[in-house]
Amino acid sequence: MPGLPDPPERRLSMEISRRNLMIGATLAPLATSLATPALARAASPSAPMIGGMFGPGEGVALLSRNENPYGPSTKAQAAAEAATAKGAYYADTAATVLIKIIAEKYGVTPEQVVIGTGSSEVLNAIALAWKPKGAYLGAELFWDTTAKWAVKLGATLKTVPLTPAMEVDLPAMAAAVDDSIGLVHIVNPNNPTGLLLDGNALRGFIKTVAPKKTVLIDEAYNELVPDPDYSSMIDMVRAGHDVIITRTFSKIFGMAGMRVGYAITTPANAALIRQYMMTSLNSAGLAAAIASYEEEDFKTFSKGKIIEAREMIVAAAKSAGLPILTPTANFAFVKVADANAVQKAMAAKGVMIRGTYGKWSQWSRVSTGRIEDVERYCRALPEAASA
Ligand SMILES: Cc1ncc(COP(=O)(O)O)c(C=O)c1O
């Protein structure tokens, strides 16, 4: 699935898992005779959705993919259903409407907004468009799925170590910007750490770096942080800096499967990004996005559930004596002895979380989700952590 916080090496096993999922949901009797040993092996504990076509199967606590099960809002669902009835028609008028709504909300022009099939599509287009300008610069640990996709297509990715506190090291990033760099990519809050950079520190960074190179700030989780306006760099776009902000409907709006995301940037950058976009959006996703964009009550509800779950995870980690980074999005990063072992122990109880990220073998990421699923995680944590 596009846009998931999974490094590419996990994608293959997820592809296979998805094939199992399709088989499991639609052709169960046939699947029994068709399933090969290789496919059966691929249905490892990390395969998150076996048995469910859309979302987790029966009894599965799906806490591995930073989804938000509290969306889409009922209003968004009704709008999507109505739009589906008109699914015979291409949805470009609705796309124009959504662009206008976003532009008005953020005080930019429609020319400055690019919408895509999830923010992943926009991020991929950015990666392609900036490839000829030079290397990608990112933190040593960030949501690098789209950067790594660009690497597969010939781009170079340079990374800068995190601070000892596991934060993105802004001074070191600024110092690493030289002629070889084409694009500087920062995720705020970062995924998988969940740590949030100070808004004004980031503004200072942009003032130093953006006169030299384009700065991309991925704000997928912005709406979930304590003060979204202070933490967002959209004001820096309005001020004319060479900055690209990406956002998504996948998180606060709980619409990951409906695939709507966007970028806000300068008119020139937006025009360049548009040249590399590959497809147009679907009616249901657009209708849901338009219906829920200004739905403040729903956003408050959704954020409330996420914060409640975050607090439960923090309390559980603390009572199990496990260090945890301060979570500011819909996931938390917990320090354990062995993240893969914890993932396996949790999976044995039907709780799906992430395993090791590269060399960070002691850090275990868990997403917030349905409160009852987070309760299962919290209950299982003391035993799983000693696995
Ligand atoms: C930081 C970050 N950016 C972008 C995405 C992609 O989201 P989507 O393509 O669903 O908008 C994700 C997905 O988890 C993410 O974690």
Side-chain angles (χ1 to χ4, degrees), residues 55-93:
E58 192 65 28
V60 173
L62 185 54
L63 303 176
S64 56
R65 312 198 321 164
N66 293 359
E67 293 148 328
N68 169 13
Y70 289 99
S73 74
T74 43
K75 218 168 135 191
Q77 289 179 41
E81 208 178 311
T84 304
K86 297 277 184 185
Y89 303 100
Y90 292 114
D92 27 320
T93 307

PDB file of all heavy atoms in Angstrom, residues 55-93:
ATOM      1  N   GLY A  55      -8.994  -3.213   6.255  1.00  0.00           N
ATOM      2  CA  GLY A  55      -8.761  -3.084   7.691  1.00  0.00           C
ATOM      3  C   GLY A  55      -8.455  -4.430   8.325  1.00  0.00           C
ATOM      4  O   GLY A  55      -8.371  -5.447   7.633  1.00  0.00           O
ATOM      5  N   PRO A  56      -8.291  -4.432   9.654  1.00  0.00           N
ATOM      6  CA  PRO A  56      -7.825  -5.644  10.334  1.00  0.00           C
ATOM      7  C   PRO A  56      -8.857  -6.764  10.308  1.00  0.00           C
ATOM      8  O   PRO A  56     -10.053  -6.525  10.322  1.00  0.00           O
ATOM      9  CB  PRO A  56      -7.596  -5.155  11.768  1.00  0.00           C
ATOM     10  CG  PRO A  56      -8.423  -3.923  11.907  1.00  0.00           C
ATOM     11  CD  PRO A  56      -8.512  -3.312  10.562  1.00  0.00           C
ATOM     12  N   GLY A  57      -8.350  -7.979  10.296  1.00  0.00           N
ATOM     13  CA  GLY A  57      -9.233  -9.133  10.410  1.00  0.00           C
ATOM     14  C   GLY A  57      -9.755  -9.269  11.832  1.00  0.00           C
ATOM     15  O   GLY A  57      -9.307  -8.569  12.748  1.00  0.00           O
ATOM     16  N   GLU A  58     -10.671 -10.186  11.990  1.00  0.00           N
ATOM     17  CA  GLU A  58     -11.296 -10.463  13.284  1.00  0.00           C
ATOM     18  C   GLU A  58     -10.222 -10.705  14.354  1.00  0.00           C
ATOM     19  O   GLU A  58      -9.301 -11.495  14.141  1.00  0.00           O
ATOM     20  CB  GLU A  58     -12.160 -11.730  13.082  1.00  0.00           C
ATOM     21  CG  GLU A  58     -13.120 -12.066  14.188  1.00  0.00           C
ATOM     22  CD  GLU A  58     -14.214 -11.025  14.362  1.00  0.00           C
ATOM     23  OE1 GLU A  58     -14.569 -10.354  13.377  1.00  0.00           O
ATOM     24  OE2 GLU A  58     -14.668 -10.880  15.493  1.00  0.00           O
ATOM     25  N   GLY A  59     -10.311 -10.004  15.443  1.00  0.00           N
ATOM     26  CA  GLY A  59      -9.407 -10.277  16.562  1.00  0.00           C
ATOM     27  C   GLY A  59      -8.018  -9.665  16.443  1.00  0.00           C
ATOM     28  O   GLY A  59      -7.189  -9.841  17.317  1.00  0.00           O
ATOM     29  N   VAL A  60      -7.766  -8.965  15.339  1.00  0.00           N
ATOM     30  CA  VAL A  60      -6.438  -8.373  15.156  1.00  0.00           C
ATOM     31  C   VAL A  60      -6.427  -6.933  15.660  1.00  0.00           C
ATOM     32  O   VAL A  60      -7.296  -6.140  15.289  1.00  0.00           O
ATOM     33  CB  VAL A  60      -6.029  -8.403  13.660  1.00  0.00           C
ATOM     34  CG1 VAL A  60      -4.726  -7.631  13.437  1.00  0.00           C
ATOM     35  CG2 VAL A  60      -5.889  -9.836  13.170  1.00  0.00           C
ATOM     36  N   ALA A  61      -5.454  -6.614  16.505  1.00  0.00           N
ATOM     37  CA  ALA A  61      -5.248  -5.225  16.932  1.00  0.00           C
ATOM     38  C   ALA A  61      -4.182  -4.648  16.007  1.00  0.00           C
ATOM     39  O   ALA A  61      -3.000  -4.965  16.143  1.00  0.00           O
ATOM     40  CB  ALA A  61      -4.804  -5.181  18.384  1.00  0.00           C
ATOM     41  N   LEU A  62      -4.616  -3.865  15.049  1.00  0.00           N
ATOM     42  CA  LEU A  62      -3.700  -3.375  14.009  1.00  0.00           C
ATOM     43  C   LEU A  62      -3.075  -2.052  14.451  1.00  0.00           C
ATOM     44  O   LEU A  62      -3.684  -0.990  14.331  1.00  0.00           O
ATOM     45  CB  LEU A  62      -4.469  -3.214  12.697  1.00  0.00           C
ATOM     46  CG  LEU A  62      -3.665  -2.812  11.459  1.00  0.00           C
ATOM     47  CD1 LEU A  62      -2.494  -3.746  11.217  1.00  0.00           C
ATOM     48  CD2 LEU A  62      -4.573  -2.774  10.235  1.00  0.00           C
ATOM     49  N   LEU A  63      -1.855  -2.139  14.973  1.00  0.00           N
ATOM     50  CA  LEU A  63      -1.189  -0.951  15.530  1.00  0.00           C
ATOM     51  C   LEU A  63       0.197  -0.789  14.892  1.00  0.00           C
ATOM     52  O   LEU A  63       1.156  -0.404  15.560  1.00  0.00           O
ATOM     53  CB  LEU A  63      -1.067  -1.104  17.056  1.00  0.00           C
ATOM     54  CG  LEU A  63      -2.379  -1.324  17.828  1.00  0.00           C
ATOM     55  CD1 LEU A  63      -2.112  -1.566  19.305  1.00  0.00           C
ATOM     56  CD2 LEU A  63      -3.324  -0.124  17.659  1.00  0.00           C
ATOM     57  N   SER A  64       0.286  -1.108  13.605  1.00  0.00           N
ATOM     58  CA  SER A  64       1.595  -1.091  12.953  1.00  0.00           C
ATOM     59  C   SER A  64       1.708  -0.071  11.839  1.00  0.00           C
ATOM     60  O   SER A  64       2.778   0.100  11.281  1.00  0.00           O
ATOM     61  CB  SER A  64       1.901  -2.486  12.386  1.00  0.00           C
ATOM     62  OG  SER A  64       0.870  -2.891  11.502  1.00  0.00           O
ATOM     63  N   ARG A  65       0.626   0.614  11.470  1.00  0.00           N
ATOM     64  CA  ARG A  65       0.699   1.377  10.233  1.00  0.00           C
ATOM     65  C   ARG A  65       0.238   2.834  10.352  1.00  0.00           C
ATOM     66  O   ARG A  65      -0.101   3.472   9.359  1.00  0.00           O
ATOM     67  CB  ARG A  65      -0.099   0.647   9.157  1.00  0.00           C
ATOM     68  CG  ARG A  65       0.303  -0.831   9.179  1.00  0.00           C
ATOM     69  CD  ARG A  65      -0.025  -1.638   8.002  1.00  0.00           C
ATOM     70  NE  ARG A  65      -1.293  -1.351   7.406  1.00  0.00           N
ATOM     71  CZ  ARG A  65      -1.629  -1.734   6.188  1.00  0.00           C
ATOM     72  NH1 ARG A  65      -0.764  -2.369   5.453  1.00  0.00           N
ATOM     73  NH2 ARG A  65      -2.802  -1.489   5.712  1.00  0.00           N
ATOM     74  N   ASN A  66       0.180   3.315  11.569  1.00  0.00           N
ATOM     75  CA  ASN A  66      -0.169   4.728  11.797  1.00  0.00           C
ATOM     76  C   ASN A  66      -1.487   5.145  11.151  1.00  0.00           C
ATOM     77  O   ASN A  66      -1.633   6.257  10.657  1.00  0.00           O
ATOM     78  CB  ASN A  66       0.959   5.648  11.316  1.00  0.00           C
ATOM     79  CG  ASN A  66       2.211   5.491  12.150  1.00  0.00           C
ATOM     80  OD1 ASN A  66       2.227   4.715  13.095  1.00  0.00           O
ATOM     81  ND2 ASN A  66       3.270   6.207  11.800  1.00  0.00           N
ATOM     82  N   GLU A  67      -2.439   4.218  11.160  1.00  0.00           N
ATOM     83  CA  GLU A  67      -3.775   4.573  10.658  1.00  0.00           C
ATOM     84  C   GLU A  67      -4.601   5.150  11.805  1.00  0.00           C
ATOM     85  O   GLU A  67      -4.203   5.079  12.963  1.00  0.00           O
ATOM     86  CB  GLU A  67      -4.450   3.321  10.078  1.00  0.00           C
ATOM     87  CG  GLU A  67      -3.756   2.824   8.823  1.00  0.00           C
ATOM     88  CD  GLU A  67      -3.812   1.321   8.629  1.00  0.00           C
ATOM     89  OE1 GLU A  67      -3.829   0.584   9.636  1.00  0.00           O
ATOM     90  OE2 GLU A  67      -3.815   0.873   7.478  1.00  0.00           O
ATOM     91  N   ASN A  68      -5.737   5.699  11.470  1.00  0.00           N
ATOM     92  CA  ASN A  68      -6.625   6.279  12.481  1.00  0.00           C
ATOM     93  C   ASN A  68      -8.014   5.678  12.293  1.00  0.00           C
ATOM     94  O   ASN A  68      -8.771   6.111  11.432  1.00  0.00           O
ATOM     95  CB  ASN A  68      -6.657   7.803  12.314  1.00  0.00           C
ATOM     96  CG  ASN A  68      -7.745   8.447  13.155  1.00  0.00           C
ATOM     97  OD1 ASN A  68      -8.331   7.825  14.045  1.00  0.00           O
ATOM     98  ND2 ASN A  68      -8.033   9.710  12.864  1.00  0.00           N
ATOM     99  N   PRO A  69      -8.335   4.665  13.114  1.00  0.00           N
ATOM    100  CA  PRO A  69      -9.596   3.945  12.900  1.00  0.00           C
ATOM    101  C   PRO A  69     -10.836   4.765  13.247  1.00  0.00           C
ATOM    102  O   PRO A  69     -11.947   4.281  13.083  1.00  0.00           O
ATOM    103  CB  PRO A  69      -9.457   2.735  13.827  1.00  0.00           C
ATOM    104  CG  PRO A  69      -8.546   3.195  14.903  1.00  0.00           C
ATOM    105  CD  PRO A  69      -7.582   4.151  14.261  1.00  0.00           C
ATOM    106  N   TYR A  70     -10.631   5.995  13.747  1.00  0.00           N
ATOM    107  CA  TYR A  70     -11.807   6.806  14.108  1.00  0.00           C
ATOM    108  C   TYR A  70     -12.371   7.578  12.917  1.00  0.00           C
ATOM    109  O   TYR A  70     -13.384   8.255  13.034  1.00  0.00           O
ATOM    110  CB  TYR A  70     -11.490   7.677  15.315  1.00  0.00           C
ATOM    111  CG  TYR A  70     -11.382   6.791  16.539  1.00  0.00           C
ATOM    112  CD1 TYR A  70     -10.160   6.372  17.029  1.00  0.00           C
ATOM    113  CD2 TYR A  70     -12.533   6.278  17.120  1.00  0.00           C
ATOM    114  CE1 TYR A  70     -10.073   5.485  18.097  1.00  0.00           C
ATOM    115  CE2 TYR A  70     -12.461   5.397  18.194  1.00  0.00           C
ATOM    116  CZ  TYR A  70     -11.237   5.011  18.679  1.00  0.00           C
ATOM    117  OH  TYR A  70     -11.171   4.124  19.721  1.00  0.00           O
ATOM    118  N   GLY A  71     -11.735   7.500  11.781  1.00  0.00           N
ATOM    119  CA  GLY A  71     -12.293   8.103  10.570  1.00  0.00           C
ATOM    120  C   GLY A  71     -12.683   7.032   9.592  1.00  0.00           C
ATOM    121  O   GLY A  71     -12.488   5.846   9.859  1.00  0.00           O
ATOM    122  N   PRO A  72     -13.216   7.404   8.415  1.00  0.00           N
ATOM    123  CA  PRO A  72     -13.661   8.749   8.066  1.00  0.00           C
ATOM    124  C   PRO A  72     -14.899   9.140   8.885  1.00  0.00           C
ATOM    125  O   PRO A  72     -15.610   8.278   9.379  1.00  0.00           O
ATOM    126  CB  PRO A  72     -14.035   8.630   6.584  1.00  0.00           C
ATOM    127  CG  PRO A  72     -13.587   7.285   6.134  1.00  0.00           C
ATOM    128  CD  PRO A  72     -13.421   6.442   7.338  1.00  0.00           C
ATOM    129  N   SER A  73     -15.150  10.424   8.977  1.00  0.00           N
ATOM    130  CA  SER A  73     -16.323  10.898   9.714  1.00  0.00           C
ATOM    131  C   SER A  73     -17.583  10.402   9.014  1.00  0.00           C
ATOM    132  O   SER A  73     -17.548  10.045   7.830  1.00  0.00           O
ATOM    133  CB  SER A  73     -16.335  12.425   9.755  1.00  0.00           C
ATOM    134  OG  SER A  73     -16.707  12.938   8.477  1.00  0.00           O
ATOM    135  N   THR A  74     -18.692  10.384   9.732  1.00  0.00           N
ATOM    136  CA  THR A  74     -19.942   9.908   9.107  1.00  0.00           C
ATOM    137  C   THR A  74     -20.323  10.816   7.934  1.00  0.00           C
ATOM    138  O   THR A  74     -20.815  10.345   6.912  1.00  0.00           O
ATOM    139  CB  THR A  74     -21.096   9.842  10.125  1.00  0.00           C
ATOM    140  OG1 THR A  74     -21.052  11.012  10.919  1.00  0.00           O
ATOM    141  CG2 THR A  74     -20.987   8.643  11.019  1.00  0.00           C
ATOM    142  N   LYS A  75     -20.044  12.103   8.076  1.00  0.00           N
ATOM    143  CA  LYS A  75     -20.335  13.037   6.976  1.00  0.00           C
ATOM    144  C   LYS A  75     -19.480  12.682   5.744  1.00  0.00           C
ATOM    145  O   LYS A  75     -19.972  12.679   4.613  1.00  0.00           O
ATOM    146  CB  LYS A  75     -19.978  14.453   7.451  1.00  0.00           C
ATOM    147  CG  LYS A  75     -20.935  15.519   6.975  1.00  0.00           C
ATOM    148  CD  LYS A  75     -20.656  16.804   7.737  1.00  0.00           C
ATOM    149  CE  LYS A  75     -20.633  17.964   6.777  1.00  0.00           C
ATOM    150  NZ  LYS A  75     -20.113  19.182   7.382  1.00  0.00           N
ATOM    151  N   ALA A  76     -18.227  12.384   5.983  1.00  0.00           N
ATOM    152  CA  ALA A  76     -17.334  12.022   4.873  1.00  0.00           C
ATOM    153  C   ALA A  76     -17.796  10.725   4.219  1.00  0.00           C
ATOM    154  O   ALA A  76     -17.785  10.589   2.987  1.00  0.00           O
ATOM    155  CB  ALA A  76     -15.902  11.869   5.386  1.00  0.00           C
ATOM    156  N   GLN A  77     -18.225   9.774   5.044  1.00  0.00           N
ATOM    157  CA  GLN A  77     -18.695   8.499   4.484  1.00  0.00           C
ATOM    158  C   GLN A  77     -19.928   8.707   3.610  1.00  0.00           C
ATOM    159  O   GLN A  77     -20.040   8.127   2.524  1.00  0.00           O
ATOM    160  CB  GLN A  77     -19.037   7.527   5.609  1.00  0.00           C
ATOM    161  CG  GLN A  77     -17.816   7.011   6.341  1.00  0.00           C
ATOM    162  CD  GLN A  77     -18.192   6.063   7.464  1.00  0.00           C
ATOM    163  OE1 GLN A  77     -19.074   5.219   7.317  1.00  0.00           O
ATOM    164  NE2 GLN A  77     -17.521   6.196   8.591  1.00  0.00           N
ATOM    165  N   ALA A  78     -20.855   9.553   4.093  1.00  0.00           N
ATOM    166  CA  ALA A  78     -22.078   9.805   3.315  1.00  0.00           C
ATOM    167  C   ALA A  78     -21.724  10.482   1.994  1.00  0.00           C
ATOM    168  O   ALA A  78     -22.267  10.149   0.932  1.00  0.00           O
ATOM    169  CB  ALA A  78     -23.036  10.669   4.135  1.00  0.00           C
ATOM    170  N   ALA A  79     -20.785  11.419   2.049  1.00  0.00           N
ATOM    171  CA  ALA A  79     -20.384  12.132   0.822  1.00  0.00           C
ATOM    172  C   ALA A  79     -19.729  11.164  -0.167  1.00  0.00           C
ATOM    173  O   ALA A  79     -19.978  11.219  -1.377  1.00  0.00           O
ATOM    174  CB  ALA A  79     -19.430  13.266   1.174  1.00  0.00           C
ATOM    175  N   ALA A  80     -18.923  10.265   0.363  1.00  0.00           N
ATOM    176  CA  ALA A  80     -18.241   9.296  -0.512  1.00  0.00           C
ATOM    177  C   ALA A  80     -19.256   8.371  -1.176  1.00  0.00           C
ATOM    178  O   ALA A  80     -19.140   8.041  -2.364  1.00  0.00           O
ATOM    179  CB  ALA A  80     -17.237   8.489   0.300  1.00  0.00           C
ATOM    180  N   GLU A  81     -20.263   7.987  -0.393  1.00  0.00           N
ATOM    181  CA  GLU A  81     -21.289   7.098  -0.947  1.00  0.00           C
ATOM    182  C   GLU A  81     -22.047   7.805  -2.079  1.00  0.00           C
ATOM    183  O   GLU A  81     -22.277   7.227  -3.149  1.00  0.00           O
ATOM    184  CB  GLU A  81     -22.246   6.722   0.170  1.00  0.00           C
ATOM    185  CG  GLU A  81     -22.896   5.377  -0.026  1.00  0.00           C
ATOM    186  CD  GLU A  81     -23.796   5.039   1.155  1.00  0.00           C
ATOM    187  OE1 GLU A  81     -23.350   5.173   2.315  1.00  0.00           O
ATOM    188  OE2 GLU A  81     -24.959   4.672   0.892  1.00  0.00           O
ATOM    189  N   ALA A  82     -22.406   9.058  -1.832  1.00  0.00           N
ATOM    190  CA  ALA A  82     -23.127   9.821  -2.865  1.00  0.00           C
ATOM    191  C   ALA A  82     -22.254   9.986  -4.111  1.00  0.00           C
ATOM    192  O   ALA A  82     -22.738   9.869  -5.248  1.00  0.00           O
ATOM    193  CB  ALA A  82     -23.535  11.183  -2.306  1.00  0.00           C
ATOM    194  N   ALA A  83     -20.972  10.227  -3.899  1.00  0.00           N
ATOM    195  CA  ALA A  83     -20.073  10.414  -5.047  1.00  0.00           C
ATOM    196  C   ALA A  83     -19.902   9.104  -5.813  1.00  0.00           C
ATOM    197  O   ALA A  83     -19.775   9.108  -7.043  1.00  0.00           O
ATOM    198  CB  ALA A  83     -18.712  10.920  -4.560  1.00  0.00           C
ATOM    199  N   THR A  84     -19.927   8.001  -5.087  1.00  0.00           N
ATOM    200  CA  THR A  84     -19.778   6.703  -5.748  1.00  0.00           C
ATOM    201  C   THR A  84     -20.923   6.458  -6.724  1.00  0.00           C
ATOM    202  O   THR A  84     -20.744   5.869  -7.794  1.00  0.00           O
ATOM    203  CB  THR A  84     -19.696   5.579  -4.690  1.00  0.00           C
ATOM    204  OG1 THR A  84     -18.616   5.891  -3.819  1.00  0.00           O
ATOM    205  CG2 THR A  84     -19.439   4.226  -5.318  1.00  0.00           C
ATOM    206  N   ALA A  85     -22.107   6.946  -6.358  1.00  0.00           N
ATOM    207  CA  ALA A  85     -23.254   6.795  -7.261  1.00  0.00           C
ATOM    208  C   ALA A  85     -23.015   7.541  -8.576  1.00  0.00           C
ATOM    209  O   ALA A  85     -23.637   7.237  -9.589  1.00  0.00           O
ATOM    210  CB  ALA A  85     -24.521   7.304  -6.573  1.00  0.00           C
ATOM    211  N   LYS A  86     -22.130   8.520  -8.533  1.00  0.00           N
ATOM    212  CA  LYS A  86     -21.784   9.276  -9.753  1.00  0.00           C
ATOM    213  C   LYS A  86     -20.391   8.862 -10.252  1.00  0.00           C
ATOM    214  O   LYS A  86     -19.688   9.631 -10.899  1.00  0.00           O
ATOM    215  CB  LYS A  86     -21.770  10.784  -9.438  1.00  0.00           C
ATOM    216  CG  LYS A  86     -23.108  11.340  -9.017  1.00  0.00           C
ATOM    217  CD  LYS A  86     -23.940  11.669 -10.237  1.00  0.00           C
ATOM    218  CE  LYS A  86     -25.259  12.323  -9.827  1.00  0.00           C
ATOM    219  NZ  LYS A  86     -26.138  12.534 -10.983  1.00  0.00           N
ATOM    220  N   GLY A  87     -20.031   7.654  -9.905  1.00  0.00           N
ATOM    221  CA  GLY A  87     -18.688   7.173 -10.236  1.00  0.00           C
ATOM    222  C   GLY A  87     -18.435   7.001 -11.725  1.00  0.00           C
ATOM    223  O   GLY A  87     -17.303   6.733 -12.133  1.00  0.00           O
ATOM    224  N   ALA A  88     -19.451   7.167 -12.525  1.00  0.00           N
ATOM    225  CA  ALA A  88     -19.264   7.057 -13.979  1.00  0.00           C
ATOM    226  C   ALA A  88     -18.411   8.198 -14.531  1.00  0.00           C
ATOM    227  O   ALA A  88     -17.849   8.085 -15.616  1.00  0.00           O
ATOM    228  CB  ALA A  88     -20.628   7.072 -14.673  1.00  0.00           C
ATOM    229  N   TYR A  89     -18.332   9.280 -13.749  1.00  0.00           N
ATOM    230  CA  TYR A  89     -17.725  10.502 -14.300  1.00  0.00           C
ATOM    231  C   TYR A  89     -16.355  10.772 -13.680  1.00  0.00           C
ATOM    232  O   TYR A  89     -16.165  10.586 -12.481  1.00  0.00           O
ATOM    233  CB  TYR A  89     -18.654  11.708 -14.043  1.00  0.00           C
ATOM    234  CG  TYR A  89     -20.021  11.474 -14.635  1.00  0.00           C
ATOM    235  CD1 TYR A  89     -21.085  11.067 -13.832  1.00  0.00           C
ATOM    236  CD2 TYR A  89     -20.225  11.598 -16.002  1.00  0.00           C
ATOM    237  CE1 TYR A  89     -22.329  10.800 -14.376  1.00  0.00           C
ATOM    238  CE2 TYR A  89     -21.471  11.333 -16.554  1.00  0.00           C
ATOM    239  CZ  TYR A  89     -22.511  10.931 -15.742  1.00  0.00           C
ATOM    240  OH  TYR A  89     -23.727  10.651 -16.293  1.00  0.00           O
ATOM    241  N   TYR A  90     -15.417  11.254 -14.490  1.00  0.00           N
ATOM    242  CA  TYR A  90     -14.128  11.704 -13.956  1.00  0.00           C
ATOM    243  C   TYR A  90     -14.383  12.842 -12.971  1.00  0.00           C
ATOM    244  O   TYR A  90     -15.340  13.610 -13.126  1.00  0.00           O
ATOM    245  CB  TYR A  90     -13.207  12.170 -15.080  1.00  0.00           C
ATOM    246  CG  TYR A  90     -12.744  11.046 -15.982  1.00  0.00           C
ATOM    247  CD1 TYR A  90     -13.144  10.994 -17.319  1.00  0.00           C
ATOM    248  CD2 TYR A  90     -11.909  10.042 -15.496  1.00  0.00           C
ATOM    249  CE1 TYR A  90     -12.724   9.959 -18.151  1.00  0.00           C
ATOM    250  CE2 TYR A  90     -11.484   9.008 -16.320  1.00  0.00           C
ATOM    251  CZ  TYR A  90     -11.898   8.971 -17.648  1.00  0.00           C
ATOM    252  OH  TYR A  90     -11.480   7.946 -18.457  1.00  0.00           O
ATOM    253  N   ALA A  91     -13.494  12.952 -12.005  1.00  0.00           N
ATOM    254  CA  ALA A  91     -13.808  13.817 -10.860  1.00  0.00           C
ATOM    255  C   ALA A  91     -13.024  15.131 -10.862  1.00  0.00           C
ATOM    256  O   ALA A  91     -12.739  15.692  -9.814  1.00  0.00           O
ATOM    257  CB  ALA A  91     -13.550  13.039  -9.572  1.00  0.00           C
ATOM    258  N   ASP A  92     -12.698  15.662 -12.042  1.00  0.00           N
ATOM    259  CA  ASP A  92     -11.827  16.851 -12.032  1.00  0.00           C
ATOM    260  C   ASP A  92     -12.482  18.095 -11.430  1.00  0.00           C
ATOM    261  O   ASP A  92     -11.794  18.933 -10.847  1.00  0.00           O
ATOM    262  CB  ASP A  92     -11.239  17.150 -13.420  1.00  0.00           C
ATOM    263  CG  ASP A  92     -12.083  16.663 -14.565  1.00  0.00           C
ATOM    264  OD1 ASP A  92     -12.625  15.548 -14.446  1.00  0.00           O
ATOM    265  OD2 ASP A  92     -12.215  17.383 -15.550  1.00  0.00           O
ATOM    266  N   THR A  93     -13.817  18.203 -11.534  1.00  0.00           N
ATOM    267  CA  THR A  93     -14.455  19.385 -10.928  1.00  0.00           C
ATOM    268  C   THR A  93     -14.271  19.333  -9.407  1.00  0.00           C
ATOM    269  O   THR A  93     -13.924  20.342  -8.776  1.00  0.00           O
ATOM    270  CB  THR A  93     -15.956  19.437 -11.282  1.00  0.00           C
ATOM    271  OG1 THR A  93     -16.063  19.346 -12.700  1.00  0.00           O
ATOM    272  CG2 THR A  93     -16.605  20.721 -10.806  1.00  0.00           C
TER     273      THR A  93
END
